[in-house]
Amino acid sequence: MAAPDGAVVSTPGHAPHMAGMNPMHPAALGMAHAHGLPAHMSCMSDVDADPRDLEAFAERFKQRRIKLGVTQADVGSALANLKIPGVGSLSQSTICRFESLTLSHNNMIALKPILQAWLEEAEKSHREKLAKPELFSGAEKKRKRTSIAAPEKRSLEAYFALQPRPSSEKIAAIAEKLDLKKNVVRVWFCNQRQKQKRMKYSAGI
DNA sequence: ATGCATGAGTC
DNA sequence: ACTCATGCATA
């Protein structure tokens, strides 16, 4: 259950990505600074939502979403109906991560205005519940998810602690040692690094 | 809710 | 080859 109704979606098999998160992303333009902070930081960014606001919003968002009896997946697909330029649908995963703040700060800031817009629309038309026509249900290619066993995972974490960015050669060596595909190891390191940058556990915020 | 994966944009 | 936003599949 993905693409709601091949409307704004350009590529038939894939939802539009939010290509590069520019500090001036169109979707993030509507939110300026809503707090009365005395600006005296060296670098001035128009779009600076501090973590408190994001945290508060994410929480209210989830609470109201549930109040409306809407699932994370519902929100994701409903976003396409907002017809916001450059904004298509999102997955349950992303909505979930937004609510739990497990996204990068920049990602949170880019998504906030979009989800805020949806929330307002949803609460406004609370009475007139619209039926979503589920268009396709074809049986497509199933991606398989490799599962790294605990022992291997522990080794990877140990390597990561020593060297978060191993060279290609090093990755190959690790892969062979753990009997894993080199690509699996490479992706694991990428994901591990990305994990460190997620909002909730990031230091300095 | 979260692990592994993809793809666009960069460097 | 990496980062970043994002998602399918699965626990």
Side-chain angles (χ1 to χ4, degrees), chain A residues 123-158:
Chain A
E123 298 197 308
K124 182 163 63 180
S125 58
H126 186 194
R127 303 83 180 171
E128 43 189 298
K129 182 63 182 162
L130 296 177
K132 310 285 183 180
E134 311 289 43
L135 291 190
F136 20 115
S137 53
E140 297 299 314
K141 50 180 178 181
K142 294 285 186 177
R143 181 210 280 175
K144 201 46 184 175
R145 178 168 139 187
T146 33
S147 180
I148 301 175
E152 284 68 38
K153 200 168 291 185
R154 272 183 259 116
S155 297
L156 287 172
E157 283 162 356

PDB file of all heavy atoms in Angstrom, chain A residues 123-158:
ATOM      1  N   GLU A 123      -7.762  18.118  10.684  1.00  0.00           N
ATOM      2  CA  GLU A 123      -8.657  18.534  11.768  1.00  0.00           C
ATOM      3  C   GLU A 123      -9.809  19.384  11.246  1.00  0.00           C
ATOM      4  O   GLU A 123     -10.897  19.379  11.801  1.00  0.00           O
ATOM      5  CB  GLU A 123      -7.849  19.277  12.836  1.00  0.00           C
ATOM      6  CG  GLU A 123      -6.795  18.374  13.462  1.00  0.00           C
ATOM      7  CD  GLU A 123      -6.240  18.904  14.771  1.00  0.00           C
ATOM      8  OE1 GLU A 123      -5.814  20.072  14.787  1.00  0.00           O
ATOM      9  OE2 GLU A 123      -6.255  18.148  15.762  1.00  0.00           O
ATOM     10  N   LYS A 124      -9.528  20.073  10.159  1.00  0.00           N
ATOM     11  CA  LYS A 124     -10.577  20.929   9.583  1.00  0.00           C
ATOM     12  C   LYS A 124     -11.686  20.081   8.968  1.00  0.00           C
ATOM     13  O   LYS A 124     -12.860  20.285   9.227  1.00  0.00           O
ATOM     14  CB  LYS A 124      -9.962  21.847   8.523  1.00  0.00           C
ATOM     15  CG  LYS A 124     -10.988  22.804   7.914  1.00  0.00           C
ATOM     16  CD  LYS A 124     -10.342  23.974   7.191  1.00  0.00           C
ATOM     17  CE  LYS A 124      -9.514  23.552   5.998  1.00  0.00           C
ATOM     18  NZ  LYS A 124      -8.881  24.680   5.297  1.00  0.00           N
ATOM     19  N   SER A 125     -11.237  19.143   8.154  1.00  0.00           N
ATOM     20  CA  SER A 125     -12.234  18.286   7.508  1.00  0.00           C
ATOM     21  C   SER A 125     -12.425  16.990   8.284  1.00  0.00           C
ATOM     22  O   SER A 125     -12.517  15.910   7.718  1.00  0.00           O
ATOM     23  CB  SER A 125     -11.796  17.976   6.085  1.00  0.00           C
ATOM     24  OG  SER A 125     -10.524  17.356   6.095  1.00  0.00           O
ATOM     25  N   HIS A 126     -12.496  17.141   9.545  1.00  0.00           N
ATOM     26  CA  HIS A 126     -12.645  15.976  10.420  1.00  0.00           C
ATOM     27  C   HIS A 126     -13.940  15.232  10.147  1.00  0.00           C
ATOM     28  O   HIS A 126     -14.019  14.016  10.208  1.00  0.00           O
ATOM     29  CB  HIS A 126     -12.604  16.430  11.877  1.00  0.00           C
ATOM     30  CG  HIS A 126     -12.595  15.299  12.855  1.00  0.00           C
ATOM     31  ND1 HIS A 126     -12.838  15.457  14.193  1.00  0.00           N
ATOM     32  CD2 HIS A 126     -12.363  13.989  12.669  1.00  0.00           C
ATOM     33  CE1 HIS A 126     -12.772  14.285  14.784  1.00  0.00           C
ATOM     34  NE2 HIS A 126     -12.473  13.370  13.885  1.00  0.00           N
ATOM     35  N   ARG A 127     -14.993  15.974   9.872  1.00  0.00           N
ATOM     36  CA  ARG A 127     -16.309  15.342   9.656  1.00  0.00           C
ATOM     37  C   ARG A 127     -16.403  14.629   8.327  1.00  0.00           C
ATOM     38  O   ARG A 127     -16.912  13.517   8.241  1.00  0.00           O
ATOM     39  CB  ARG A 127     -17.426  16.391   9.705  1.00  0.00           C
ATOM     40  CG  ARG A 127     -17.468  17.185  10.982  1.00  0.00           C
ATOM     41  CD  ARG A 127     -16.470  18.308  10.909  1.00  0.00           C
ATOM     42  NE  ARG A 127     -16.467  19.107  12.131  1.00  0.00           N
ATOM     43  CZ  ARG A 127     -15.564  20.047  12.381  1.00  0.00           C
ATOM     44  NH1 ARG A 127     -14.598  20.271  11.517  1.00  0.00           N
ATOM     45  NH2 ARG A 127     -15.619  20.735  13.488  1.00  0.00           N
ATOM     46  N   GLU A 128     -15.977  15.267   7.281  1.00  0.00           N
ATOM     47  CA  GLU A 128     -16.097  14.676   5.960  1.00  0.00           C
ATOM     48  C   GLU A 128     -14.972  13.703   5.643  1.00  0.00           C
ATOM     49  O   GLU A 128     -14.086  14.025   4.881  1.00  0.00           O
ATOM     50  CB  GLU A 128     -16.136  15.768   4.899  1.00  0.00           C
ATOM     51  CG  GLU A 128     -15.122  16.857   5.159  1.00  0.00           C
ATOM     52  CD  GLU A 128     -15.316  18.047   4.220  1.00  0.00           C
ATOM     53  OE1 GLU A 128     -15.189  17.848   3.012  1.00  0.00           O
ATOM     54  OE2 GLU A 128     -15.597  19.155   4.726  1.00  0.00           O
ATOM     55  N   LYS A 129     -15.024  12.579   6.232  1.00  0.00           N
ATOM     56  CA  LYS A 129     -14.008  11.550   6.004  1.00  0.00           C
ATOM     57  C   LYS A 129     -14.005  11.094   4.552  1.00  0.00           C
ATOM     58  O   LYS A 129     -15.018  10.666   4.031  1.00  0.00           O
ATOM     59  CB  LYS A 129     -14.281  10.355   6.916  1.00  0.00           C
ATOM     60  CG  LYS A 129     -13.275   9.233   6.803  1.00  0.00           C
ATOM     61  CD  LYS A 129     -11.866   9.673   7.212  1.00  0.00           C
ATOM     62  CE  LYS A 129     -10.884   8.524   7.028  1.00  0.00           C
ATOM     63  NZ  LYS A 129      -9.489   8.981   6.988  1.00  0.00           N
ATOM     64  N   LEU A 130     -12.867  11.215   3.911  1.00  0.00           N
ATOM     65  CA  LEU A 130     -12.764  10.813   2.513  1.00  0.00           C
ATOM     66  C   LEU A 130     -12.245   9.386   2.379  1.00  0.00           C
ATOM     67  O   LEU A 130     -11.311   9.001   3.071  1.00  0.00           O
ATOM     68  CB  LEU A 130     -11.811  11.758   1.768  1.00  0.00           C
ATOM     69  CG  LEU A 130     -12.261  13.213   1.663  1.00  0.00           C
ATOM     70  CD1 LEU A 130     -11.166  14.033   0.957  1.00  0.00           C
ATOM     71  CD2 LEU A 130     -13.559  13.307   0.878  1.00  0.00           C
ATOM     72  N   ALA A 131     -12.850   8.646   1.486  1.00  0.00           N
ATOM     73  CA  ALA A 131     -12.421   7.271   1.253  1.00  0.00           C
ATOM     74  C   ALA A 131     -11.259   7.261   0.274  1.00  0.00           C
ATOM     75  O   ALA A 131     -11.339   7.849  -0.788  1.00  0.00           O
ATOM     76  CB  ALA A 131     -13.574   6.453   0.703  1.00  0.00           C
ATOM     77  N   LYS A 132     -10.209   6.636   0.669  1.00  0.00           N
ATOM     78  CA  LYS A 132      -9.038   6.570  -0.198  1.00  0.00           C
ATOM     79  C   LYS A 132      -9.149   5.385  -1.152  1.00  0.00           C
ATOM     80  O   LYS A 132      -9.169   4.247  -0.717  1.00  0.00           O
ATOM     81  CB  LYS A 132      -7.760   6.382   0.637  1.00  0.00           C
ATOM     82  CG  LYS A 132      -7.635   7.352   1.779  1.00  0.00           C
ATOM     83  CD  LYS A 132      -7.255   8.713   1.275  1.00  0.00           C
ATOM     84  CE  LYS A 132      -7.058   9.671   2.428  1.00  0.00           C
ATOM     85  NZ  LYS A 132      -6.684  10.998   1.970  1.00  0.00           N
ATOM     86  N   PRO A 133      -9.244   5.632  -2.424  1.00  0.00           N
ATOM     87  CA  PRO A 133      -9.300   4.540  -3.396  1.00  0.00           C
ATOM     88  C   PRO A 133      -7.938   3.875  -3.549  1.00  0.00           C
ATOM     89  O   PRO A 133      -7.016   4.460  -4.097  1.00  0.00           O
ATOM     90  CB  PRO A 133      -9.739   5.253  -4.679  1.00  0.00           C
ATOM     91  CG  PRO A 133      -9.166   6.631  -4.531  1.00  0.00           C
ATOM     92  CD  PRO A 133      -9.293   6.953  -3.069  1.00  0.00           C
ATOM     93  N   GLU A 134      -7.870   2.697  -3.051  1.00  0.00           N
ATOM     94  CA  GLU A 134      -6.616   1.957  -3.174  1.00  0.00           C
ATOM     95  C   GLU A 134      -6.513   1.429  -4.595  1.00  0.00           C
ATOM     96  O   GLU A 134      -7.231   0.507  -4.965  1.00  0.00           O
ATOM     97  CB  GLU A 134      -6.585   0.798  -2.179  1.00  0.00           C
ATOM     98  CG  GLU A 134      -6.956   1.185  -0.761  1.00  0.00           C
ATOM     99  CD  GLU A 134      -5.878   2.026  -0.090  1.00  0.00           C
ATOM    100  OE1 GLU A 134      -5.326   2.941  -0.752  1.00  0.00           O
ATOM    101  OE2 GLU A 134      -5.593   1.772   1.075  1.00  0.00           O
ATOM    102  N   LEU A 135      -5.658   2.011  -5.365  1.00  0.00           N
ATOM    103  CA  LEU A 135      -5.572   1.617  -6.759  1.00  0.00           C
ATOM    104  C   LEU A 135      -4.938   0.268  -7.051  1.00  0.00           C
ATOM    105  O   LEU A 135      -5.572  -0.600  -7.613  1.00  0.00           O
ATOM    106  CB  LEU A 135      -4.862   2.715  -7.554  1.00  0.00           C
ATOM    107  CG  LEU A 135      -5.697   3.985  -7.677  1.00  0.00           C
ATOM    108  CD1 LEU A 135      -5.049   4.920  -8.678  1.00  0.00           C
ATOM    109  CD2 LEU A 135      -7.119   3.649  -8.116  1.00  0.00           C
ATOM    110  N   PHE A 136      -3.720   0.119  -6.686  1.00  0.00           N
ATOM    111  CA  PHE A 136      -3.100  -1.144  -7.050  1.00  0.00           C
ATOM    112  C   PHE A 136      -2.817  -2.068  -5.880  1.00  0.00           C
ATOM    113  O   PHE A 136      -2.734  -1.652  -4.742  1.00  0.00           O
ATOM    114  CB  PHE A 136      -1.805  -0.950  -7.839  1.00  0.00           C
ATOM    115  CG  PHE A 136      -1.190   0.404  -7.691  1.00  0.00           C
ATOM    116  CD1 PHE A 136       0.029   0.579  -7.082  1.00  0.00           C
ATOM    117  CD2 PHE A 136      -1.868   1.531  -8.186  1.00  0.00           C
ATOM    118  CE1 PHE A 136       0.589   1.827  -6.982  1.00  0.00           C
ATOM    119  CE2 PHE A 136      -1.306   2.796  -8.076  1.00  0.00           C
ATOM    120  CZ  PHE A 136      -0.065   2.937  -7.460  1.00  0.00           C
ATOM    121  N   SER A 137      -2.737  -3.292  -6.210  1.00  0.00           N
ATOM    122  CA  SER A 137      -2.453  -4.298  -5.194  1.00  0.00           C
ATOM    123  C   SER A 137      -1.676  -5.430  -5.818  1.00  0.00           C
ATOM    124  O   SER A 137      -1.616  -6.518  -5.297  1.00  0.00           O
ATOM    125  CB  SER A 137      -3.763  -4.833  -4.625  1.00  0.00           C
ATOM    126  OG  SER A 137      -4.581  -5.265  -5.685  1.00  0.00           O
ATOM    127  N   GLY A 138      -1.089  -5.173  -6.973  1.00  0.00           N
ATOM    128  CA  GLY A 138      -0.354  -6.201  -7.687  1.00  0.00           C
ATOM    129  C   GLY A 138       0.766  -6.818  -6.878  1.00  0.00           C
ATOM    130  O   GLY A 138       1.360  -6.182  -6.031  1.00  0.00           O
ATOM    131  N   ALA A 139       1.012  -8.073  -7.120  1.00  0.00           N
ATOM    132  CA  ALA A 139       2.081  -8.775  -6.430  1.00  0.00           C
ATOM    133  C   ALA A 139       3.377  -8.438  -7.135  1.00  0.00           C
ATOM    134  O   ALA A 139       3.636  -8.906  -8.226  1.00  0.00           O
ATOM    135  CB  ALA A 139       1.829 -10.270  -6.460  1.00  0.00           C
ATOM    136  N   GLU A 140       4.193  -7.635  -6.499  1.00  0.00           N
ATOM    137  CA  GLU A 140       5.445  -7.230  -7.122  1.00  0.00           C
ATOM    138  C   GLU A 140       6.640  -7.947  -6.516  1.00  0.00           C
ATOM    139  O   GLU A 140       6.502  -8.792  -5.651  1.00  0.00           O
ATOM    140  CB  GLU A 140       5.617  -5.726  -6.973  1.00  0.00           C
ATOM    141  CG  GLU A 140       4.539  -4.920  -7.673  1.00  0.00           C
ATOM    142  CD  GLU A 140       4.505  -5.175  -9.171  1.00  0.00           C
ATOM    143  OE1 GLU A 140       5.574  -5.182  -9.799  1.00  0.00           O
ATOM    144  OE2 GLU A 140       3.402  -5.384  -9.703  1.00  0.00           O
ATOM    145  N   LYS A 141       7.769  -7.548  -6.971  1.00  0.00           N
ATOM    146  CA  LYS A 141       9.021  -8.106  -6.489  1.00  0.00           C
ATOM    147  C   LYS A 141       9.177  -7.866  -4.988  1.00  0.00           C
ATOM    148  O   LYS A 141       8.977  -6.772  -4.496  1.00  0.00           O
ATOM    149  CB  LYS A 141      10.177  -7.421  -7.210  1.00  0.00           C
ATOM    150  CG  LYS A 141      10.036  -5.903  -7.162  1.00  0.00           C
ATOM    151  CD  LYS A 141      11.160  -5.177  -7.864  1.00  0.00           C
ATOM    152  CE  LYS A 141      10.901  -3.671  -7.811  1.00  0.00           C
ATOM    153  NZ  LYS A 141      11.927  -2.904  -8.493  1.00  0.00           N
ATOM    154  N   LYS A 142       9.528  -8.880  -4.288  1.00  0.00           N
ATOM    155  CA  LYS A 142       9.719  -8.760  -2.849  1.00  0.00           C
ATOM    156  C   LYS A 142      11.198  -8.600  -2.540  1.00  0.00           C
ATOM    157  O   LYS A 142      12.004  -9.443  -2.881  1.00  0.00           O
ATOM    158  CB  LYS A 142       9.187 -10.015  -2.150  1.00  0.00           C
ATOM    159  CG  LYS A 142       7.680 -10.199  -2.272  1.00  0.00           C
ATOM    160  CD  LYS A 142       6.932  -9.239  -1.369  1.00  0.00           C
ATOM    161  CE  LYS A 142       5.436  -9.548  -1.397  1.00  0.00           C
ATOM    162  NZ  LYS A 142       4.653  -8.705  -0.506  1.00  0.00           N
ATOM    163  N   ARG A 143      11.511  -7.552  -1.886  1.00  0.00           N
ATOM    164  CA  ARG A 143      12.919  -7.352  -1.533  1.00  0.00           C
ATOM    165  C   ARG A 143      13.177  -8.205  -0.297  1.00  0.00           C
ATOM    166  O   ARG A 143      12.336  -8.308   0.579  1.00  0.00           O
ATOM    167  CB  ARG A 143      13.146  -5.885  -1.168  1.00  0.00           C
ATOM    168  CG  ARG A 143      14.597  -5.591  -0.812  1.00  0.00           C
ATOM    169  CD  ARG A 143      14.704  -4.463   0.197  1.00  0.00           C
ATOM    170  NE  ARG A 143      14.581  -3.149  -0.404  1.00  0.00           N
ATOM    171  CZ  ARG A 143      14.549  -2.027   0.318  1.00  0.00           C
ATOM    172  NH1 ARG A 143      14.609  -2.083   1.610  1.00  0.00           N
ATOM    173  NH2 ARG A 143      14.444  -0.862  -0.278  1.00  0.00           N
ATOM    174  N   LYS A 144      14.338  -8.796  -0.268  1.00  0.00           N
ATOM    175  CA  LYS A 144      14.644  -9.624   0.881  1.00  0.00           C
ATOM    176  C   LYS A 144      15.534  -8.843   1.829  1.00  0.00           C
ATOM    177  O   LYS A 144      16.381  -8.063   1.409  1.00  0.00           O
ATOM    178  CB  LYS A 144      15.346 -10.908   0.419  1.00  0.00           C
ATOM    179  CG  LYS A 144      15.268 -12.044   1.437  1.00  0.00           C
ATOM    180  CD  LYS A 144      13.866 -12.212   1.990  1.00  0.00           C
ATOM    181  CE  LYS A 144      13.842 -13.286   3.084  1.00  0.00           C
ATOM    182  NZ  LYS A 144      12.523 -13.382   3.722  1.00  0.00           N
ATOM    183  N   ARG A 145      15.315  -9.044   3.072  1.00  0.00           N
ATOM    184  CA  ARG A 145      16.086  -8.317   4.072  1.00  0.00           C
ATOM    185  C   ARG A 145      17.098  -9.223   4.727  1.00  0.00           C
ATOM    186  O   ARG A 145      16.743 -10.131   5.481  1.00  0.00           O
ATOM    187  CB  ARG A 145      15.127  -7.749   5.126  1.00  0.00           C
ATOM    188  CG  ARG A 145      15.821  -7.013   6.233  1.00  0.00           C
ATOM    189  CD  ARG A 145      14.801  -6.254   7.057  1.00  0.00           C
ATOM    190  NE  ARG A 145      15.070  -6.335   8.478  1.00  0.00           N
ATOM    191  CZ  ARG A 145      14.244  -5.862   9.395  1.00  0.00           C
ATOM    192  NH1 ARG A 145      13.115  -5.323   9.040  1.00  0.00           N
ATOM    193  NH2 ARG A 145      14.542  -5.941  10.654  1.00  0.00           N
ATOM    194  N   THR A 146      18.367  -8.982   4.480  1.00  0.00           N
ATOM    195  CA  THR A 146      19.394  -9.796   5.091  1.00  0.00           C
ATOM    196  C   THR A 146      19.450  -9.517   6.571  1.00  0.00           C
ATOM    197  O   THR A 146      19.281  -8.398   7.012  1.00  0.00           O
ATOM    198  CB  THR A 146      20.784  -9.487   4.502  1.00  0.00           C
ATOM    199  OG1 THR A 146      20.827  -8.119   4.170  1.00  0.00           O
ATOM    200  CG2 THR A 146      21.080 -10.337   3.313  1.00  0.00           C
ATOM    201  N   SER A 147      19.681 -10.565   7.292  1.00  0.00           N
ATOM    202  CA  SER A 147      19.737 -10.415   8.744  1.00  0.00           C
ATOM    203  C   SER A 147      21.136 -10.787   9.220  1.00  0.00           C
ATOM    204  O   SER A 147      21.610 -11.885   8.991  1.00  0.00           O
ATOM    205  CB  SER A 147      18.696 -11.349   9.355  1.00  0.00           C
ATOM    206  OG  SER A 147      18.701 -11.238  10.729  1.00  0.00           O
ATOM    207  N   ILE A 148      21.766  -9.837   9.878  1.00  0.00           N
ATOM    208  CA  ILE A 148      23.113 -10.090  10.385  1.00  0.00           C
ATOM    209  C   ILE A 148      23.007 -10.682  11.776  1.00  0.00           C
ATOM    210  O   ILE A 148      22.401 -10.086  12.670  1.00  0.00           O
ATOM    211  CB  ILE A 148      23.915  -8.771  10.435  1.00  0.00           C
ATOM    212  CG1 ILE A 148      23.986  -8.164   9.025  1.00  0.00           C
ATOM    213  CG2 ILE A 148      25.313  -9.027  10.976  1.00  0.00           C
ATOM    214  CD1 ILE A 148      24.640  -6.801   8.984  1.00  0.00           C
ATOM    215  N   ALA A 149      23.593 -11.834  11.953  1.00  0.00           N
ATOM    216  CA  ALA A 149      23.511 -12.530  13.248  1.00  0.00           C
ATOM    217  C   ALA A 149      24.197 -11.737  14.353  1.00  0.00           C
ATOM    218  O   ALA A 149      25.083 -10.907  14.100  1.00  0.00           O
ATOM    219  CB  ALA A 149      24.136 -13.906  13.116  1.00  0.00           C
ATOM    220  N   ALA A 150      23.771 -11.986  15.559  1.00  0.00           N
ATOM    221  CA  ALA A 150      24.292 -11.286  16.733  1.00  0.00           C
ATOM    222  C   ALA A 150      25.809 -11.276  16.857  1.00  0.00           C
ATOM    223  O   ALA A 150      26.396 -10.211  17.107  1.00  0.00           O
ATOM    224  CB  ALA A 150      23.657 -11.867  17.994  1.00  0.00           C
ATOM    225  N   PRO A 151      26.445 -12.397  16.696  1.00  0.00           N
ATOM    226  CA  PRO A 151      27.914 -12.423  16.836  1.00  0.00           C
ATOM    227  C   PRO A 151      28.580 -11.501  15.829  1.00  0.00           C
ATOM    228  O   PRO A 151      29.468 -10.719  16.179  1.00  0.00           O
ATOM    229  CB  PRO A 151      28.261 -13.894  16.561  1.00  0.00           C
ATOM    230  CG  PRO A 151      27.020 -14.632  16.913  1.00  0.00           C
ATOM    231  CD  PRO A 151      25.906 -13.736  16.453  1.00  0.00           C
ATOM    232  N   GLU A 152      28.137 -11.610  14.590  1.00  0.00           N
ATOM    233  CA  GLU A 152      28.697 -10.763  13.539  1.00  0.00           C
ATOM    234  C   GLU A 152      28.439  -9.293  13.852  1.00  0.00           C
ATOM    235  O   GLU A 152      29.277  -8.434  13.654  1.00  0.00           O
ATOM    236  CB  GLU A 152      28.059 -11.116  12.186  1.00  0.00           C
ATOM    237  CG  GLU A 152      28.585 -12.403  11.564  1.00  0.00           C
ATOM    238  CD  GLU A 152      28.179 -13.641  12.336  1.00  0.00           C
ATOM    239  OE1 GLU A 152      27.041 -13.683  12.841  1.00  0.00           O
ATOM    240  OE2 GLU A 152      29.012 -14.559  12.460  1.00  0.00           O
ATOM    241  N   LYS A 153      27.248  -9.041  14.330  1.00  0.00           N
ATOM    242  CA  LYS A 153      26.878  -7.662  14.635  1.00  0.00           C
ATOM    243  C   LYS A 153      27.777  -7.107  15.731  1.00  0.00           C
ATOM    244  O   LYS A 153      28.209  -5.953  15.682  1.00  0.00           O
ATOM    245  CB  LYS A 153      25.404  -7.598  15.063  1.00  0.00           C
ATOM    246  CG  LYS A 153      24.801  -6.222  14.930  1.00  0.00           C
ATOM    247  CD  LYS A 153      23.287  -6.254  15.068  1.00  0.00           C
ATOM    248  CE  LYS A 153      22.611  -6.935  13.897  1.00  0.00           C
ATOM    249  NZ  LYS A 153      21.145  -6.860  13.963  1.00  0.00           N
ATOM    250  N   ARG A 154      28.077  -7.943  16.692  1.00  0.00           N
ATOM    251  CA  ARG A 154      28.945  -7.488  17.786  1.00  0.00           C
ATOM    252  C   ARG A 154      30.331  -7.141  17.252  1.00  0.00           C
ATOM    253  O   ARG A 154      30.950  -6.171  17.657  1.00  0.00           O
ATOM    254  CB  ARG A 154      29.034  -8.568  18.872  1.00  0.00           C
ATOM    255  CG  ARG A 154      27.916  -8.425  19.909  1.00  0.00           C
ATOM    256  CD  ARG A 154      28.053  -9.459  21.026  1.00  0.00           C
ATOM    257  NE  ARG A 154      27.120 -10.581  20.833  1.00  0.00           N
ATOM    258  CZ  ARG A 154      27.489 -11.836  20.607  1.00  0.00           C
ATOM    259  NH1 ARG A 154      28.775 -12.156  20.544  1.00  0.00           N
ATOM    260  NH2 ARG A 154      26.586 -12.779  20.453  1.00  0.00           N
ATOM    261  N   SER A 155      30.792  -7.962  16.334  1.00  0.00           N
ATOM    262  CA  SER A 155      32.103  -7.706  15.731  1.00  0.00           C
ATOM    263  C   SER A 155      32.077  -6.399  14.974  1.00  0.00           C
ATOM    264  O   SER A 155      32.988  -5.570  15.099  1.00  0.00           O
ATOM    265  CB  SER A 155      32.461  -8.840  14.765  1.00  0.00           C
ATOM    266  OG  SER A 155      32.570 -10.062  15.462  1.00  0.00           O
ATOM    267  N   LEU A 156      31.051  -6.205  14.217  1.00  0.00           N
ATOM    268  CA  LEU A 156      30.934  -4.977  13.438  1.00  0.00           C
ATOM    269  C   LEU A 156      30.957  -3.764  14.360  1.00  0.00           C
ATOM    270  O   LEU A 156      31.615  -2.764  14.077  1.00  0.00           O
ATOM    271  CB  LEU A 156      29.632  -4.988  12.623  1.00  0.00           C
ATOM    272  CG  LEU A 156      29.598  -5.927  11.416  1.00  0.00           C
ATOM    273  CD1 LEU A 156      28.202  -5.978  10.818  1.00  0.00           C
ATOM    274  CD2 LEU A 156      30.605  -5.471  10.370  1.00  0.00           C
ATOM    275  N   GLU A 157      30.247  -3.862  15.462  1.00  0.00           N
ATOM    276  CA  GLU A 157      30.207  -2.743  16.393  1.00  0.00           C
ATOM    277  C   GLU A 157      31.589  -2.474  16.977  1.00  0.00           C
ATOM    278  O   GLU A 157      31.969  -1.326  17.214  1.00  0.00           O
ATOM    279  CB  GLU A 157      29.187  -3.031  17.505  1.00  0.00           C
ATOM    280  CG  GLU A 157      27.759  -2.821  17.019  1.00  0.00           C
ATOM    281  CD  GLU A 157      26.698  -3.478  17.903  1.00  0.00           C
ATOM    282  OE1 GLU A 157      27.056  -4.174  18.880  1.00  0.00           O
ATOM    283  OE2 GLU A 157      25.504  -3.288  17.601  1.00  0.00           O
ATOM    284  N   ALA A 158      32.317  -3.542  17.188  1.00  0.00           N
ATOM    285  CA  ALA A 158      33.672  -3.389  17.725  1.00  0.00           C
ATOM    286  C   ALA A 158      34.547  -2.685  16.702  1.00  0.00           C
ATOM    287  O   ALA A 158      35.293  -1.765  17.039  1.00  0.00           O
ATOM    288  CB  ALA A 158      34.246  -4.760  18.056  1.00  0.00           C
TER     289      ALA A 158
END
